Amino acid sequence: MKSYLKELNEVQRKAVLHTEGPVLVIAGPGSGKTRVLTYRIAHLIEEGAAPWEILSLTFTNKAAREMKERISKVVGNKANQVWAGTFHSIFARILRVEADKIGYPTNFTIYDTEDSKNVLKTIIKNMNLDKNVYVANAIKNRISSAKSNLITPKAYREDSELMQQDKASKRPHLHLIYEQYVKRCRTAGAMDFDDLLFQLFRLLYQNPDNVLQKYQDRFKYILVDEFQDTNFLQYSIIRKLVDYRNEKGEPDQTRSKNICVVGDDAQSIYAFRGATIENILDFEKEFKKYNIGIYKLEQNYRSTDHIVQAANEVITHNSKQIPKEIWSDKGEGERIRVIKSVTDGEEGKRVADTIVEQKNRYHLKNSEIAILYRTNSQSRVFEESLRRYNILYKVYGGLSFYQRKEVKDLIAYLRLIVNPRDEEALRRVINYPKRGIGASSIDKISLLAAQNGITMWEAMGQVSLSKRATNAIGDFRNMIGAFTKKTDGANAYELATLVARQSGILALLKADNSVEGMGRMENINSLLDGIKDFVENDEIIDEATLPDKTLSSYLQNIALHTALDNEDDTEDYVTLMSVHSAKGLEFKSVFVVGLEDKLFPSFMSMDSAEQLDEERRLFYVAITRAEQFLTLTFANSRYQFGQMRYNDPSRFLQEISPKHLEIANPISNRNKTQERNATPLNSGIKGNFKRVRPTAPVLRADPATFKPHPSSEIKEGMKVLHLKFGEGKVTTIDGAADSRVATIFFQGIDDPERRIMLKFAKLQIL
């Protein structure tokens, strides 16, 4: 037996040795799928296949490079002759040779995302359409979706459902933009990223006898990695390449369909990008008559048994799946810790507490720990808690929350309202959203300020500009002035919400209904929720410093946080990322946070069985990133869209057997009795995670009817109701006048004793 085959388990070896005919490899998480792919290619070459006859398609250039490096260790330099790369890079390579056959120059330009958006902006402007309705990014995504489903501009126009959708979104001219966009790209001799697939399919479809047959003859073996992530168009091209026909145009039964696809239906999580799970679910049926070989890689080399079995239990609730039973021989390991918190702020603190505990007890490095969340906007509370503990972290696949453009834009408005002398804030928002104050006007204002030793704000009232620019600047100054006047009466949240609306930021972001646009909108809402929490948080965090709820205080608080955002030289940082970004990665300790219905699973999936299945697959991906320690957290309440929302624990928590779980007592203020009583969950798990309103507090406040009493009426011994913590009893009151602080014992919550500043408290006397 060849040496590289000895490194494989029995099922992996069978998948590698099955070289002729269609092969489906179902690869569970941590099961060694990359090793199977690379050794299969190496084995083909070792058995006499020419490396240039092998086509291996991946989703990232990094995966392609790693594959070639691994192959070269077995077969040497021959690995460089394998056609291994991403769908886009391989197809672009073919189009460079064949593009003239579909009317494109072989030296065509490839438009990146910004190029495409700029072309669309020009078209929208030339058609005199409202750019706030016809947002370039949203239009681009719509056109991308059409191309990925092989819908031409003509087919788009003739599709009544698509046309009705555009009318409903108040964009009835979208099909005309699509038509103009295609014409402009062709005139410019350019293809965007979607065209690299769309035009290749067109090339193969329109040239069956020369081009299609040429590449069918060249690629005798086709391999596809992460097959569950392919979309309709990608699979259509793959099928073309193995759809062999004889001279009569009939299926050629003499040729083997040597296609091997590797993937995991349980990890199909990119439907929002167009991925079609049916590609992998239906693959067996489509190639059954060609004696398909099916191999299930079920041994997990990554995680301990509690984690693996929990993943198995969760995914069995999906309606459409390829049955498999993942197993591990790495031992039982630690039970999965479940942390329930009263608020999302407490959730952030307890996650940070647990990280400190794990670092001390198990000597984990920061780099061995990850916090995974459903949406990027959730990173805020965890960033703030990690900073307080001086734990280094990095937000993966995106900026730190407070460094995101839309967040910085709104904060810049708030800074300018508090301090009109803030030149950097002024420069950032003077023409955002666009209001007709161009760069030349800003330069003139800046020059006048420098020449006269005055601020840019003052210079704005003195500079000589065109009538249009003068009017725009006047409107801007009046708007900021009106906001400034409200700083005395309105609280920070009310003012920030007003600014977000009247500045035009919310309208601009709402008009962009792309995935990215919705993400930016979520970030703005999360920022506003953070301000709301800042304003209404009456609990004493630092006994030496009494809380100040002014907008100025909030901005100072944020500035102190963001000052710590600079990169550190060390690579030892805790990773914060969305679950989508975590696919393919692994960590010794993983925290999956925000496990509440309507958050994870997302509220957008609640009315669709298919979307709920995808959310469950996303949860499956999240928990299988963990090697040794898995922590699942949820909060009973959190601010969402400026309102205190009471959340049910995620239904996914119910789907894990109690024997794999352990409820964690509070980490902070834990005494020896609590330590002894920190026992695994018993058979009452379903009671703990029943999807009803949390009933631990004796009485829960309803925001709609909650009516706080004046703080001066609060006395020792009173029973009170708090918006976050529910029913409690005032045990002591310290201090006098505006400095009075109440100690309140709240029933039915972890860590029930809370210190609250009565000046800011919202308490209803019972």
Side-chain angles (χ1 to χ4, degrees):
M1 183 184 294
K2 293 181 172 63
S3 59
Y4 58 87
L5 294 176
K6 294 178 181 177
E7 299 177 28
L8 304 172
N9 65 35
E10 184 180 355
V11 181
Q12 290 173 334
R13 192 179 307 117
K14 287 180 179 179
V16 167
L17 295 175
H18 189 148
T19 57
E20 300 301 310
V23 173
L24 170 62
V25 179
I26 302 299
S31 62
K33 74 174 179 65
T34 304
R35 176 175 291 184
V36 169
L37 262 178
T38 53
Y39 283 7
R40 180 181 171 85
I41 294 172
H43 184 68
L44 285 170
I45 297 172
E46 286 282 275
E47 291 296 299
W52 54 85
E53 294 177 337
I54 302 171
L55 172 63
S56 178
L57 296 168
T58 65
F59 275 85
T60 66
N61 288 311
K62 180 183 177 184
R65 285 194 303 271
E66 289 179 354
M67 195 174 294
K68 282 192 174 183
E69 288 170 3
R70 291 195 189 191
I71 298 168
S72 67
K73 291 179 180 178
V74 180
V75 300
N77 292 333
K78 289 181 181 179
N80 294 324
Q81 296 175 292
V82 175
W83 283 61
T86 65
F87 283 86
H88 290 89
S89 65
I90 294 293
F91 295 169
R93 183 176 169 185
I94 296 173
L95 285 166
R96 287 292 180 204
V97 178
E98 314 288 354
D100 61 305
K101 295 179 179 63
I102 52 172
Y104 275 87
T106 54
N107 63 341
F108 60 86
T109 300
I110 298 177
Y111 279 167
D112 64 16
T113 301
E114 284 305 309
D115 294 327
S116 297
K117 287 198 287 189
N118 288 336
V119 172
L120 288 169
K121 287 176 182 177
T122 301
I123 294 170
I124 292 165
K125 182 178 180 180
N126 291 345
M127 292 178 66
N128 293 317
L129 299 173
D130 187 345
K131 64 183 179 182
N132 291 325
V133 176
Y134 290 87
V135 178
N137 196 49
I139 304 300
K140 174 190 163 297
N141 289 333
R142 184 73 165 171
I143 292 173
S144 174
S145 178
K147 289 181 179 178
S148 295
N149 287 283
L150 289 174
I151 300 173
T152 63
K154 180 182 178 182
Y156 192 106
R157 187 174 63 250
E158 294 173 353
D159 190 311
S160 59
E161 185 177 347
L162 291 175
M163 297 296 286
Q164 189 59 43
Q165 289 172 0
D166 289 343
K167 286 181 180 178
S169 64
K170 299 181 180 179
R171 296 182 299 199
H173 302 298
L174 198 149
H175 68 287
L176 297 175
I177 299 174
Y178 183 14
E179 188 176 303
Q180 285 297 312
Y181 177 73
V182 170
K183 286 181 180 178
R184 287 191 180 228
C185 287
R186 180 175 287 278
T187 300
M191 295 189 196
D192 61 22
F193 290 144
D194 297 304
D195 283 327
L196 296 177
L197 278 66
F198 185 90
Q199 297 299 344
L200 182 75
F201 180 86
R202 180 169 162 246
L203 171 71
L204 299 178
Y205 181 80
Q206 293 179 355
N207 300 273
D209 297 329
N210 48 5
V211 179
L212 177 58
Q213 187 173 339
K214 171 182 174 181
Y215 289 98
Q216 285 179 337
D217 292 341
R218 172 168 294 177
F219 301 133
K220 291 184 170 58
Y221 298 93
I222 297 175
L223 300 92
V224 185
D225 191 15
E226 302 286 5
F227 186 63
Q228 77 280 349
D229 294 334
T230 55
N231 62 26
F232 174 79
L233 178 52
Q234 288 163 331
Y235 189 34
S236 297
I237 294 170
I238 295 166
R239 281 186 297 186
K240 271 288 174 192
L241 289 172
V242 296
D243 184 22
Y244 308 122
R245 301 276 166 168
N246 59 27
E247 293 179 355
K248 295 180 181 180
E250 300 167 339
D252 187 347
Q253 303 293 344
T254 65
R255 296 186 61 176
S256 297
K257 294 181 183 291
N258 298 329
I259 176 172
C260 173
V261 301
V262 181
D264 183 7
D265 59 295
Q267 297 186 66
S268 178
I269 59 173
Y270 294 122
F272 68 95
R273 294 181 187 169
T276 309
I277 192 174
E278 283 72 23
N279 290 348
I280 192 167
L281 293 176
D282 297 339
F283 189 83
E284 177 185 359
K285 182 171 62 177
E286 184 159 349
F287 288 91
K288 194 170 185 178
K289 60 183 177 181
Y290 299 103
N291 297 317
I292 184 172
I294 301 174
Y295 302 95
K296 297 179 181 179
L297 308 184
E298 297 176 305
Q299 182 175 358
N300 181 297
Y301 292 93
R302 175 188 300 155
S303 309
T304 54
D305 195 58
H306 277 305
I307 296 169
V308 168
Q309 294 308 319
N312 282 334
E313 290 173 353
V314 167
I315 205 63
T316 56
H317 288 79
N318 269 13
S319 54
K320 293 182 179 180
Q321 59 177 298
I322 299 173
K324 56 185 172 296
E325 187 71 22
I326 308 302
W327 60 277
S328 169
D329 63 359
K330 295 190 70 173
E332 190 175 64
E334 298 281 330
R335 283 187 175 86
I336 299 166
R337 174 177 281 187
V338 180
I339 296 178
K340 56 180 180 179
S341 303
V342 176
T343 68
D344 55 340
E346 182 181 332
E347 180 187 32
K349 180 181 182 299
R350 297 192 67 194
V351 166
D353 283 336
T354 307
I355 289 175
V356 171
E357 179 191 44
Q358 289 184 347
K359 283 164 60 70
N360 291 336
R361 182 178 295 182
Y362 304 109
H363 308 292
L364 296 185
K365 299 176 183 177
N366 288 332
S367 57
E368 295 174 323
I369 301 169
I371 300 173
L372 308 183
Y373 33 73
R374 179 61 183 83
T375 64
N376 286 317
S377 61
Q378 289 173 255
S379 74
R380 176 180 57 83
V381 293
F382 302 101
E383 290 187 59
E384 291 173 359
S385 293
L386 292 174
R387 287 193 193 101
R388 291 191 187 107
Y389 284 84
N390 290 320
I391 298 173
L392 293 174
Y393 71 89
K394 184 175 183 180
V395 180
Y396 181 93
L399 294 170
S400 169
F401 181 82
Y402 291 104
Q403 290 299 317
R404 292 166 187 159
K405 179 186 181 300
E406 58 276 8
V407 172
K408 293 186 75 172
D409 289 336
L410 183 50
I411 288 175
Y413 268 103
L414 302 182
R415 283 168 48 188
L416 188 62
I417 292 165
V418 170
N419 177 22
R421 299 170 62 89
D422 188 335
E423 186 171 317
E424 291 306 311
L426 175 60
R427 286 181 179 276
R428 188 174 188 95
V429 302
I430 188 172
N431 198 40
Y432 178 79
K434 290 184 178 179
R435 51 176 61 88
I437 306 174
S440 60
S441 296
I442 297 171
D443 289 342
K444 288 180 181 178
I445 295 169
S446 180
L447 180 62
L448 181 64
Q451 290 174 340
N452 292 276
I454 58 178
T455 66
M456 283 186 67
W457 178 262
E458 293 167 325
M460 286 169 65
Q462 303 174 21
V463 70
S464 177
L465 299 170
S466 67
K467 183 177 180 181
R468 181 186 176 202
T470 300
N471 290 338
I473 286 172
D475 291 342
F476 176 69
R477 281 172 58 87
N478 290 338
M479 178 179 67
I480 298 298
F483 291 150
T484 302
K485 289 179 181 178
K486 294 182 180 292
T487 54
D488 291 336
N491 65 42
Y493 171 74
E494 293 168 343
L495 189 53
T497 303
L498 184 69
V499 170
R501 289 174 180 161
Q502 294 192 2
S503 67
I505 289 178
L506 284 183
L508 185 65
L509 295 180
K510 282 180 180 177
D512 184 356
N513 60 4
S514 67
V515 174
E516 296 83 358
M518 288 188 285
R520 286 189 281 270
M521 193 69 199
E522 284 179 356
N523 290 335
I524 287 295
N525 283 325
S526 182
L527 176 64
L528 293 174
D529 290 340
I531 299 173
K532 178 86 166 182
D533 191 35
F534 171 83
V535 168
E536 299 202 346
N537 186 4
D538 45 21
E539 192 173 3
I540 301 294
I541 303 299
D542 182 353
E543 295 287 348
T545 308
L546 295 180
D548 179 356
K549 304 300 183 180
T550 63
L551 179 58
S552 177
S553 176
Y554 171 77
L555 292 173
Q556 179 179 321
N557 186 40
I558 293 302
L560 290 173
H561 284 166
T562 56
L564 300 174
D565 282 344
N566 295 330
E567 290 278 342
D568 193 274
D569 291 337
T570 180
E571 291 296 309
D572 188 30
Y573 47 74
V574 173
T575 298
L576 278 69
M577 61 170 66
S578 70
V579 182
H580 283 103
S581 298
K583 190 166 176 286
L585 303 177
E586 56 188 45
F587 303 88
K588 281 190 177 179
S589 176
V590 169
F591 294 79
V592 186
V593 299
L595 281 166
E596 301 136 34
D597 270 359
K598 299 186 180 179
L599 183 56
F600 198 176
S602 163
F603 74 93
M604 297 176 68
S605 69
M606 303 300 278
D607 298 325
S608 166
E610 287 185 1
Q611 290 182 24
L612 194 57
D613 277 2
E614 172 134 344
E615 290 287 305
R616 187 175 285 106
R617 292 194 293 270
L618 192 61
F619 181 54
Y620 178 88
V621 167
I623 62 182
T624 55
R625 299 311 93 197
E627 296 176 7
Q628 296 180 23
F629 308 103
L630 176 61
T631 307
L632 309 177
T633 76
F634 66 93
N636 288 334
S637 62
R638 68 176 67 235
Y639 278 109
Q640 289 178 285
F641 309 106
Q643 297 293 322
M644 177 63 70
R645 302 288 175 92
Y646 298 118
N647 307 312
D648 297 330
S650 172
R651 62 194 63 201
F652 299 152
L653 290 168
Q654 280 192 82
E655 297 169 359
I656 302 174
S657 170
K659 64 184 179 183
H660 302 306
L661 301 176
E662 176 183 325
I663 287 279
N665 278 336
I667 304 299
S668 58
N669 302 323
R670 177 183 275 176
N671 58 38
K672 292 181 180 179
T673 302
Q674 289 175 313
E675 192 74 53
R676 287 195 301 270
N677 293 335
T679 56
L681 291 172
N682 57 25
S683 58
I685 183 71
K686 289 190 180 294
N688 282 296
F689 293 136
K690 191 176 180 181
R691 292 199 303 274
V692 296
R693 188 71 62 212
T695 57
V698 173
L699 183 62
R700 172 67 73 187
D702 181 351
T705 58
F706 182 75
K707 294 181 180 179
H709 286 78
S711 60
S712 59
E713 296 180 15
I714 306 300
K715 310 293 182 186
E716 288 185 7
M718 281 184 170
K719 285 188 175 182
V720 293
L721 191 62
H722 189 276
L723 197 57
K724 289 183 185 178
F725 305 129
E727 182 182 348
K729 183 175 182 179
V730 181
T731 56
T732 60
I733 296 179
D734 305 317
D738 286 347
S739 299
R740 290 203 311 157
V741 176
T743 301
I744 305 176
F745 188 90
F746 291 98
Q747 301 181 47
I749 67 171
D750 297 325
D751 196 12
E753 192 171 86
R754 306 282 173 148
R755 297 268 292 162
I756 288 178
M757 186 75 176
L758 286 178
K759 177 181 178 181
F760 302 110
K762 291 189 175 181
L763 297 169
Q764 181 177 333
I765 299 171
L766 297 178

